[in-house]
Amino acid sequence: MTSLPEKLAEISRSAGVKTAYGDPVQVDGISLVPVALVYYGFGGGEGDSAESGTGSGGGGGGMSLPIGAYVKSGGSLRFEPNVISLLAVGIPFVWVAGKAISRVIRAVKR
C-alpha cells in the first residue's frame, strides 16, 4: 500500500504544463490547443484526544475550468476565449473587488 506522502508526490509530479494545456487536436486542417485554469489542494489531520482516542483524516480535490483554446489556422495563431467560463470567473471577481473597494472608500471617508 502506498503511503499518503508518496501518493501526493506522485500527483504533484504530474502537474504542470500538460495539466493546463491539452494535447493539440486537428479539426478540418485547423490545430486547436485547449487551455484550462487548473488548481487542486490537499489537506490532512491527525489528533489524539483523551476522551475519544486517536483520529486521523485527509482529503483533496481539484478543479479544471476550460478558459479557451489556441487556434492555429494558416500562418496565424490566436486565442479564442470560452466566454461562458470567463464570465463564470469574472462576475464573482468583479463583485468581490467592488465590495472591497466600497469598504475602502467608506473607511477613508470616516
Side-chain angles (χ1 to χ4, degrees), residues 26-75:
Q26 293 287 332
V27 179
D28 296 331
I30 298 173
S31 181
L32 304 169
V33 178
V35 180
L37 175 66
V38 180
Y39 64 91
Y40 59 92
F42 301 98
E46 188 171 319
D48 187 10
S49 172
E51 298 171 9
S52 63
T54 62
S56 63
M63 189 182 109
S64 176
L65 180 69
I67 59 171
Y70 282 105
V71 180
K72 182 179 180 184
S73 61

Side-chain angles (χ1 to χ4, degrees), residues 50-105:
E51 298 171 9
S52 63
T54 62
S56 63
M63 189 182 109
S64 176
L65 180 69
I67 59 171
Y70 282 105
V71 180
K72 182 179 180 184
S73 61
S76 67
L77 178 68
R78 67 185 187 281
F79 180 74
E80 292 286 332
N82 180 348
V83 178
I84 304 293
S85 293
L86 292 177
L87 286 174
V89 171
I91 290 172
F93 175 76
V94 169
W95 183 81
V96 169
K99 291 292 269 186
I101 290 171
S102 70
R103 288 185 180 193
V104 167
I105 290 171

